[in-house]
Amino acid sequence: MRFNSEIQYLKGVGPRRAAALARIGIATLGDLLHFLPRRYIDRTMITPIGSLKANVTATIIGRILGKGILKGKRQRLEVVIGDDTGYVALIWFAGLRYLEKTFTKGEIYAITGPVTYFQQLQMVHPEIERIEDIDSQLIHTGRIVPIYPSTAELKESGLSGRVMRQIINRALESVGDMIHDHLPADYLKEYDQWPLLRAILNIHYPESTDCIERARKRLAFDELLQLQYLILNTRRNYTSVNKRHRYLAPGQKLKTFVTALPFKLTDAQADAVREIFADMKNDKPMHRLLQGDVGCGKTVVAMLASVYAAENKLQTAFMAPTELLAEQHYHNWREPLAAIGIEAALISGKQIKSEKNENILRLQEGDISIIFGTHALLSAPIKFKNLGLAIIDEQHRFGVLQRGQLIGKGDHPDTLVMTATPIPRTLALTLYGDLDITSIRSLPPGRQPTKTVWRSAASRPEIYKFLKTKLQDGEQIFFIYPLVEKSDKMELQAAEEEYHRLKDTVFSDFKVGLVHGRIKKDAREKAIRDFRDRKLDILVATTVIEVGIDIPSASIMVIEHAERFGLSQLHQLRGRVGRGGKPGTAIAIAVPPISEIANRRLDLFAATSDGFQISEADLKLRGPGEFFGTRQHGLPELKIADLSIDTDLLPITRKIAIHLLADDKSLDREEHHLLIYLAEAADFRQTLTRFG
Ligand code: ADP
Ligand code: MG
């Protein structure tokens, strides 16, 4: 057996279990050895229930003795858990039904959380983890026991925690001796890293709790090095081709277009345009990221690039993440483009067939220069005569795979991706390490930062009073409701109910509209148009408006259930108001229970208006809903490294990858081994084809 051997041949695994493991990303023995315990249970960390005290955070292990949903002023779930020394109540105020079903009498749980006293000792909203009998026995032997993450499917295929431990032990036995380190010894010394074997042994059976982090760090080092190799290698591949098309100097159409704009480009926009045009004139295809805070005016920069392309008889594909946004871009730009003789069109999932087919045909024949659309642009029937420029708006909503698909519609077109999620430089070099980066760091003139406050739900009556005075002054208000999953019916229903409540009771003197993803296109468009034309005072919306919707006259935004949003998302939302010269106001309403992290997030949201700072803070907070994962950027998912705590490894691993891939490299033998190892690992994962 070797590191790369398929897992199914390991004794005790077999095809069925292998399939279940594959689904969590474990295909080889190496993967299995890199499978991180979710946590460890160390006997010294467990408090006997009988010695719990109020106002400390503790971990306990016990058996479920009983449970029940209690009515009262506030409905709650109470679960009683006990060990030989005593028992304690676990309390939940939210998610009662689901949690109630989770617990079965007699089962053993590890519980972690703060202990409080209210008529009795209790733990409110603690972290829970079901553990098996055998685990608790091991704990009593005094070892540090790894607890592996589990899924329903793993359990169904017989991969209980105990079995996981068995097969991992077996894997350690069968390849342990053969684990030789691909990192040169010099590197280990220079970067103060453990040898691989020691790291792997300690990640599963740590010599002490201090060893866990050292072991993890080494494995994270390897993972990030692989990632950097992948990215930089992709970049090298980009620059190894020459594009077919050539650009002339900017001509009359472009000049007329710029003159006709209702505003003057800011210096930052003009700089961005210059950089992009220089790329377009270059022999190598452009791969550029345009990043800038929400509302900084990226769209017009992209449009100038597409006009430049059209002038040179090249087509542009402009891909947006939502239908609404694609429609909006199309509606905003169709006429100014037509005025200079450039034909634009929209491909929409909701278009009638004949209209769509006509667009497809005209696109293929080259009659359409600029096509707007969602990922519908990626579908097979969409063909270009001469795609020269691929623009991807709100790129964090797409994966690299989709970027690659769009690029594939042409012969090495130039690519411009845009994002309103500016990120710190070290991180950008990783997540966008295959791209050149242009940042727009200033907002158009006259734009004042949106004043932001957050309040608890109890303040709603005062907020409504305040809003009414604003409505009477003729201001327009967005009400935003969270929609975590597009398909979540309950949340849609909640948004609809709130809409009726606001329309029929609270704001019955005003005109209220509703828009969300499930509303038919016509009605949705009408609502947005009416809001834009000031026929509506209030627009109730789900997060569909988060990405890019531009209604300059709206100046106030109320964000409901703000505790559920991530910091960057809140910031994106807020960017929708205060665009019309009037300063914007954002009111975030949080509904208890508000976790500590949500509290900090909301404080930061109210205190900071700079998108770059927000991103950095988001990175540090890592609340739920954070989107700094590599996955969202279409990169392979990180299983061990955590971009928020392993930032120190980013520049190091990048430096090594650059060194290994340099054309004039003078590698010693060990480095050569490492390079081969990285290339094989990348090949093996077939990510090279998936990536770019
Ligand atoms: P984003 O960068 O978030 O995509 P948009 O491109 O949607 O921002 O621009 C936001 C708003 O700013 C739009 O209404 C746009 O017309 C306006 N805008 C863009 N550039 C300028 C400028 N130089 N001066 C004034 N307004 C501008
Ligand atoms: Mg935009």
Side-chain angles (χ1 to χ4, degrees), residues 581-601:
K582 245 187 291 170
T585 305
I587 303 171
I589 300 182
V591 181
I594 305 164
S595 68
E596 198 183 305
I597 194 144
N599 215 304
R600 270 163 59 203
R601 210 156 50 208

Short mmCIF file of all heavy atoms in Angstrom, two decimals, residues 581-601:
data_model
loop_
_atom_site.label_atom_id
_atom_site.label_comp_id
_atom_site.label_asym_id
_atom_site.label_seq_id
_atom_site.Cartn_x
_atom_site.Cartn_y
_atom_site.Cartn_z
N GLY A 581 -26.52 60.81 -4.14
CA GLY A 581 -26.07 62.11 -3.67
C GLY A 581 -26.51 62.37 -2.24
O GLY A 581 -25.82 62.99 -1.47
N LYS A 582 -27.68 61.85 -1.89
CA LYS A 582 -28.14 61.97 -0.50
C LYS A 582 -27.40 60.91 0.34
O LYS A 582 -27.20 59.79 -0.14
CB LYS A 582 -29.64 61.65 -0.44
CG LYS A 582 -30.49 62.85 -0.03
CD LYS A 582 -31.95 62.44 0.17
CE LYS A 582 -32.61 62.06 -1.14
NZ LYS A 582 -33.92 61.45 -1.01
N PRO A 583 -26.99 61.25 1.57
CA PRO A 583 -26.33 60.22 2.36
C PRO A 583 -27.29 59.07 2.69
O PRO A 583 -28.49 59.31 2.91
CB PRO A 583 -25.90 60.96 3.63
CG PRO A 583 -26.73 62.19 3.67
CD PRO A 583 -27.12 62.53 2.28
N GLY A 584 -26.77 57.87 2.73
CA GLY A 584 -27.62 56.72 3.01
C GLY A 584 -27.66 56.40 4.50
O GLY A 584 -26.81 56.82 5.27
N THR A 585 -28.70 55.68 4.89
CA THR A 585 -28.83 55.21 6.26
C THR A 585 -29.10 53.72 6.23
O THR A 585 -29.97 53.27 5.47
CB THR A 585 -30.01 55.90 6.97
OG1 THR A 585 -29.83 57.32 6.88
CG2 THR A 585 -30.08 55.49 8.43
N ALA A 586 -28.38 52.97 7.03
CA ALA A 586 -28.66 51.55 7.14
C ALA A 586 -29.00 51.23 8.60
O ALA A 586 -28.30 51.67 9.51
CB ALA A 586 -27.45 50.73 6.70
N ILE A 587 -30.11 50.51 8.77
CA ILE A 587 -30.52 50.11 10.11
C ILE A 587 -30.57 48.59 10.14
O ILE A 587 -31.38 47.98 9.45
CB ILE A 587 -31.90 50.69 10.46
CG1 ILE A 587 -31.87 52.22 10.33
CG2 ILE A 587 -32.31 50.26 11.87
CD1 ILE A 587 -33.24 52.86 10.44
N ALA A 588 -29.69 48.01 10.91
CA ALA A 588 -29.66 46.56 11.01
C ALA A 588 -30.47 46.16 12.25
O ALA A 588 -30.22 46.67 13.34
CB ALA A 588 -28.23 46.08 11.13
N ILE A 589 -31.43 45.27 12.05
CA ILE A 589 -32.22 44.82 13.19
C ILE A 589 -31.86 43.37 13.48
O ILE A 589 -31.98 42.49 12.63
CB ILE A 589 -33.73 44.93 12.89
CG1 ILE A 589 -34.08 46.39 12.60
CG2 ILE A 589 -34.55 44.38 14.06
CD1 ILE A 589 -35.55 46.63 12.34
N ALA A 590 -31.40 43.14 14.69
CA ALA A 590 -30.99 41.79 15.07
C ALA A 590 -32.03 41.19 16.01
O ALA A 590 -32.53 41.87 16.90
CB ALA A 590 -29.62 41.82 15.74
N VAL A 591 -32.34 39.93 15.77
CA VAL A 591 -33.36 39.27 16.57
C VAL A 591 -32.68 38.30 17.54
O VAL A 591 -31.93 37.43 17.11
CB VAL A 591 -34.34 38.50 15.65
CG1 VAL A 591 -35.42 37.82 16.47
CG2 VAL A 591 -34.95 39.46 14.63
N PRO A 592 -32.90 38.46 18.83
CA PRO A 592 -32.25 37.56 19.80
C PRO A 592 -32.70 36.11 19.60
O PRO A 592 -33.81 35.91 19.10
CB PRO A 592 -32.74 38.10 21.16
CG PRO A 592 -33.24 39.48 20.88
CD PRO A 592 -33.70 39.48 19.47
N PRO A 593 -31.92 35.13 19.98
CA PRO A 593 -30.62 35.28 20.65
C PRO A 593 -29.52 35.72 19.68
O PRO A 593 -29.41 35.14 18.61
CB PRO A 593 -30.34 33.87 21.16
CG PRO A 593 -31.08 32.97 20.22
CD PRO A 593 -32.28 33.72 19.77
N ILE A 594 -28.75 36.70 20.08
CA ILE A 594 -27.68 37.22 19.24
C ILE A 594 -26.37 36.70 19.79
O ILE A 594 -26.01 37.00 20.92
CB ILE A 594 -27.69 38.76 19.24
CG1 ILE A 594 -29.07 39.27 18.81
CG2 ILE A 594 -26.61 39.31 18.33
CD1 ILE A 594 -29.33 40.72 19.14
N SER A 595 -25.69 35.87 19.04
CA SER A 595 -24.46 35.27 19.55
C SER A 595 -23.40 36.35 19.73
O SER A 595 -23.51 37.45 19.20
CB SER A 595 -23.95 34.21 18.58
OG SER A 595 -23.51 34.84 17.40
N GLU A 596 -22.36 35.98 20.46
CA GLU A 596 -21.32 36.96 20.74
C GLU A 596 -20.65 37.39 19.44
O GLU A 596 -20.35 38.57 19.23
CB GLU A 596 -20.30 36.31 21.66
CG GLU A 596 -19.43 37.32 22.35
CD GLU A 596 -18.38 36.60 23.19
OE1 GLU A 596 -18.79 35.79 24.04
OE2 GLU A 596 -17.19 36.86 22.98
N ILE A 597 -20.49 36.42 18.55
CA ILE A 597 -19.79 36.75 17.31
C ILE A 597 -20.66 37.67 16.44
O ILE A 597 -20.17 38.61 15.83
CB ILE A 597 -19.34 35.47 16.56
CG1 ILE A 597 -18.34 35.81 15.47
CG2 ILE A 597 -20.48 34.71 15.97
CD1 ILE A 597 -17.28 34.75 15.32
N ALA A 598 -21.97 37.40 16.46
CA ALA A 598 -22.88 38.27 15.69
C ALA A 598 -22.86 39.68 16.27
O ALA A 598 -22.88 40.67 15.53
CB ALA A 598 -24.30 37.70 15.73
N ASN A 599 -22.78 39.75 17.56
CA ASN A 599 -22.69 41.03 18.23
C ASN A 599 -21.47 41.83 17.77
O ASN A 599 -21.56 43.01 17.42
CB ASN A 599 -22.58 40.77 19.73
CG ASN A 599 -23.31 41.82 20.53
OD1 ASN A 599 -23.02 43.00 20.38
ND2 ASN A 599 -24.25 41.39 21.34
N ARG A 600 -20.34 41.15 17.72
CA ARG A 600 -19.12 41.84 17.30
C ARG A 600 -19.19 42.24 15.84
O ARG A 600 -18.73 43.30 15.44
CB ARG A 600 -17.92 40.93 17.54
CG ARG A 600 -17.35 41.16 18.94
CD ARG A 600 -16.46 40.06 19.41
NE ARG A 600 -15.30 39.83 18.57
CZ ARG A 600 -14.64 38.67 18.54
NH1 ARG A 600 -15.07 37.66 19.26
NH2 ARG A 600 -13.60 38.51 17.76
N ARG A 601 -19.78 41.35 15.07
CA ARG A 601 -19.93 41.62 13.64
C ARG A 601 -20.76 42.89 13.43
O ARG A 601 -20.41 43.76 12.65
CB ARG A 601 -20.65 40.42 13.02
CG ARG A 601 -20.31 40.17 11.61
CD ARG A 601 -20.56 38.73 11.25
NE ARG A 601 -21.87 38.27 11.65
CZ ARG A 601 -22.15 37.00 11.94
NH1 ARG A 601 -21.22 36.10 11.87
NH2 ARG A 601 -23.36 36.65 12.29
#
